[in-house]
Amino acid sequence: METCILLPLPDAKLQHLIQQAKDWALTHGITMRTKKNPNSSEESTYAPHLLLPSPVPRQLFEQGCAVQKDFNLLYHRVSQDYEFLKNALHGAVQVDVFTRRLWDIYETVRKEGISQPVSLGLFRSDYMMDCSGNSHSTQNHNKKLRVVDMKLKQIEMNTIASSFAGLSAQMTQFHHYILDLCDVDVNSSTIPENSSYNDLGKGIAEAWELYGNKSAAVLFLVETVSTNIFDQRWVEYGIHHHNSHIKVIRKTFLEVHEEMDLSEDKVLTLSGLEVAVVYFRCGYSPDQYTSEKEWEARLTIERSRAIKCPNINYHLIGTKKIQQELVREGAVEKFITDADAVARIRATFAGQYSLDLDAEGDKAVQMALDNPDRFVLKPQREGGGNNTYGEDIRTVLSGIKDSEERTAYILMERVHPFSFKNYPLRPGSEVRCMDMVSELGIYGVLIGNGETVIKNEQCSHLLRTKTLETDEGGIVAGFAAMDSPYLV
């Protein structure tokens, strides 16, 4: 697909732009802490990013934006349906310890009675632009790809710690600057505006207002190692922009465990400070629960009157098993009655297959064993680096095909995005013109009160780009880089 400027660039021009890019990124907050010193801001570097904005078909970008509110509503309604969650997650709960611990918290608070019916979802739906139906190979970027043959396919729905809203907003301005240096005319119709961190910050602030105590704080629940703190700070500044009187505090699970107190009327306090909203930037991975203290803190938070982002319901609906179950005939229609909304949602679905111990699961296992390159094997995990591809699928499934362990996974049809040329900038690495592919994320905010929806909005976007030969897509995990869409 054509890029915004003819590539490769002359070397003198390239070296000039690289220096400009690194300095602009460091000056404007496209930054991360270093791996050498991840808990100190005394040392920081630019975040991995693309020198130029990457091509994204306009109609697919607009399709992703248009369907986000539908997905927000769908997942909110799924979160309210106990029987659907129970049936969908039954197999994973039996064999996956992490999913079972989350489910136990859900059952506990449900039986005790929900202390806080208000829910806050800061969602992000991730897509790739599939050209497998096109007559041209993904790897042959020199041939003309027809946008009409491309399909927007959902990779996953993120319901916890949907990151990079902060840095992605800065990337828009960065790429405006770089293209100005290249004498390329650019405006919001080619590089769309991005206010994602302000949008998410506003959602948190509005939830705080619903809590009803002006002296209560917003808690950012964070990891013990925070290389990506600056992205989180941008969201904090978005809260401040909306309401400068909101106090924001940052605590780890262990700090919460040490300081927490839950009153008889379920008010959560940390060292005497009441908490109105808990924003999880941690808690999505088993390695973030290193002892029972983390689990005790998580349960206490869920029992409290604090508004959770996400609450345990929202966390569970982000599992891959829920995504797979929603592909089934009639599943979306159970929750969404608007036929146009159903069509918009279903148009983005890739093939998803259960690996339960039944005839359907046996068939899916055999499909994957026969042709592993057609699929991705996904566990119930977030954060990047967890999926299995290619011949490794055959190796994994051969070892568990007759075991209940296979029910901890789902099988997804592999998406084949178009490739293009660009220059990834990564600290300590040579900058070269490489074949790249992108993943588009669309943010959404939903505030609900039980089944009632108070706010449902689509909020800006994220583009992550990686080299063609890279399977995974996480930035913090080291696979991808920040980018901006150049609409074509």
Side-chain angles (χ1 to χ4, degrees):
M1 177 163 284
E2 295 180 2
T3 54
C4 59
I5 190 171
L6 185 64
L7 299 180
L9 294 169
D11 188 64
K13 180 69 170 179
L14 174 61
Q15 296 307 317
H16 172 69
L17 290 178
I18 289 171
Q19 191 58 57
Q20 291 283 346
K22 292 177 180 179
D23 290 346
W24 200 101
L26 289 167
T27 304
H28 292 80
I30 305 176
T31 49
M32 301 178 74
R33 288 174 173 170
T34 64
K35 291 182 179 179
K36 179 181 177 182
N37 202 2
N39 284 336
S40 172
S41 296
E42 292 297 316
E43 293 182 23
S44 63
T45 187
Y46 60 88
H49 62 281
L50 275 295
L51 179 63
L52 302 168
S54 295
V56 172
R58 183 184 303 275
Q59 71 179 46
L60 300 187
F61 178 83
E62 292 176 349
Q63 179 187 356
C65 293
V67 74
Q68 185 59 39
K69 290 173 65 174
D70 302 325
F71 271 117
N72 292 348
L73 183 59
L74 171 62
Y75 274 75
H76 174 71
R77 288 179 174 170
V78 170
S79 77
Q80 303 297 306
D81 192 318
Y82 171 75
E83 290 300 325
F84 184 87
L85 292 176
K86 181 180 178 181
N87 292 333
L89 294 174
H90 174 75
V93 166
Q94 297 303 311
V95 299
D96 186 84
V97 175
F98 183 62
T99 305
R100 182 167 67 248
R101 294 297 300 262
L102 296 175
W103 182 260
D104 288 345
I105 291 175
Y106 173 54
E107 287 279 27
T108 297
V109 296
R110 181 174 178 271
K111 290 174 182 176
E112 291 178 353
I114 304 299
S115 300
Q116 178 54 265
V118 175
S119 54
L120 171 61
L122 301 184
F123 302 140
R124 195 188 72 227
S125 184
D126 291 339
Y127 304 92
M128 280 188 163
M129 292 150 280
D130 184 49
C131 65
S132 58
N134 200 293
S135 60
H136 303 303
S137 165
T138 303
Q139 299 187 30
N140 194 344
H141 53 80
N142 292 318
K143 292 186 177 181
K144 185 73 172 178
L145 294 173
R146 298 195 310 165
V147 172
V148 69
D149 293 327
M150 297 181 192
K151 305 292 184 183
L152 190 74
K153 293 300 178 182
Q154 188 184 54
I155 303 302
E156 63 181 347
M157 181 72 161
N158 299 277
T159 62
I160 181 170
S162 301
S163 59
F164 289 106
L167 301 194
S168 64
Q170 312 315 310
M171 287 300 300
T172 300
Q173 301 307 314
F174 165 78
H175 278 137
H176 272 268
Y177 175 72
I178 292 296
L179 290 189
D180 283 344
L181 296 180
C182 297
D183 297 321
V184 175
D185 290 333
V186 62
N187 52 49
S188 60
S189 69
T190 50
I191 300 182
E193 296 297 329
N194 194 338
S195 58
S196 47
Y197 74 90
N198 264 329
D199 296 336
L200 299 195
K202 182 180 180 182
I204 295 172
E206 290 175 343
W208 176 88
E209 290 163 1
L210 287 172
Y211 185 81
N213 182 352
K214 293 184 178 181
S215 64
V218 170
L219 167 65
F220 277 42
L221 190 67
V222 298
E223 298 167 293
T224 55
V225 175
S226 296
T227 56
N228 196 29
I229 187 173
F230 304 120
D231 178 62
Q232 299 170 15
R233 290 293 193 191
W234 278 113
V235 178
E236 184 178 335
Y237 304 149
I239 296 171
H240 182 84
H241 176 77
H242 185 72
N243 188 329
S244 60
H245 299 293
I246 299 176
K247 181 179 179 62
V248 175
I249 58 175
R250 297 172 56 85
K251 301 286 183 182
T252 65
F253 266 130
L254 291 180
E255 288 171 330
V256 169
H257 186 271
E258 182 179 341
E259 300 176 23
M260 67 186 184
D261 181 73
L262 191 64
S263 69
E264 289 186 4
D265 58 352
K266 305 300 183 181
V267 172
L268 176 65
T269 57
L270 300 178
S271 297
L273 178 63
E274 185 170 346
V275 176
V277 178
V278 180
Y279 174 43
F280 284 81
R281 291 298 295 251
C282 178
Y284 53 83
S285 177
D287 60 11
Q288 294 164 349
Y289 299 81
T290 59
S291 71
E292 284 303 306
K293 291 181 179 180
E294 287 90 348
W295 287 110
E296 290 167 6
R298 180 70 188 266
L299 178 58
T300 300
I301 290 169
E302 292 297 334
R303 281 174 161 157
S304 77
R305 286 183 53 228
I307 297 170
K308 277 73 71 175
C309 179
N311 61 20
I312 195 66
N313 309 48
Y314 278 5
H315 190 165
L316 287 167
I317 60 173
T319 55
K320 304 303 184 289
K321 185 61 179 175
I322 295 298
Q323 184 184 2
Q324 175 257 304
E325 288 295 322
L326 286 172
V327 172
R328 291 186 184 277
E329 183 178 354
V332 174
E333 294 79 359
K334 173 181 172 63
F335 301 101
I336 303 293
T337 57
D338 184 320
D340 291 337
V342 170
R344 287 191 295 268
I345 290 169
R346 286 201 170 277
T348 69
F349 282 169
Q352 307 260 357
Y353 306 95
S354 168
L355 296 180
D356 287 350
L357 285 172
D358 53 23
E360 178 187 6
D362 291 343
K363 181 179 179 181
V365 168
Q366 195 58 51
M367 285 195 308
L369 291 174
D370 291 342
N371 197 345
D373 289 334
R374 284 185 52 205
F375 303 101
V376 180
L377 187 64
K378 292 187 169 187
Q380 314 304 315
R381 295 290 183 270
E382 301 296 331
N386 299 301
N387 298 331
T388 304
Y389 301 84
E391 285 299 317
D392 290 339
I393 292 178
R394 185 174 283 149
T395 301
V396 172
L397 283 182
S398 294
I400 63 173
K401 64 180 182 179
D402 298 320
S403 165
E404 286 188 348
E405 188 179 347
R406 81 185 200 193
T407 64
Y409 297 85
I410 64 116
L411 192 68
M412 180 177 174
E413 178 185 11
R414 188 160 188 175
V415 176
H416 297 280
F418 66 87
S419 67
F420 50 87
K421 295 289 189 180
N422 208 332
Y423 295 91
L425 276 69
R426 188 176 295 276
S429 298
E430 179 187 1
V431 179
R432 296 184 292 118
C433 190
M434 303 179 73
D435 292 325
M436 313 295 294
V437 294
S438 289
E439 184 171 338
L440 175 67
I442 305 295
Y443 293 101
V445 175
L446 189 141
I447 300 176
N449 188 334
E451 296 183 357
T452 302
V453 174
I454 299 171
K455 175 189 179 83
N456 182 9
E457 291 186 356
Q458 177 264 317
C459 303
S460 297
H461 58 274
L462 164 71
L463 194 71
R464 292 172 295 173
T465 297
K466 60 187 180 182
T467 55
L468 179 61
E469 67 272 12
T470 302
D471 289 322
E472 292 285 0
I475 294 173
V476 173
F479 302 110
M482 299 293 302
D483 203 352
S484 300
Y486 185 85
L487 302 184
V488 295

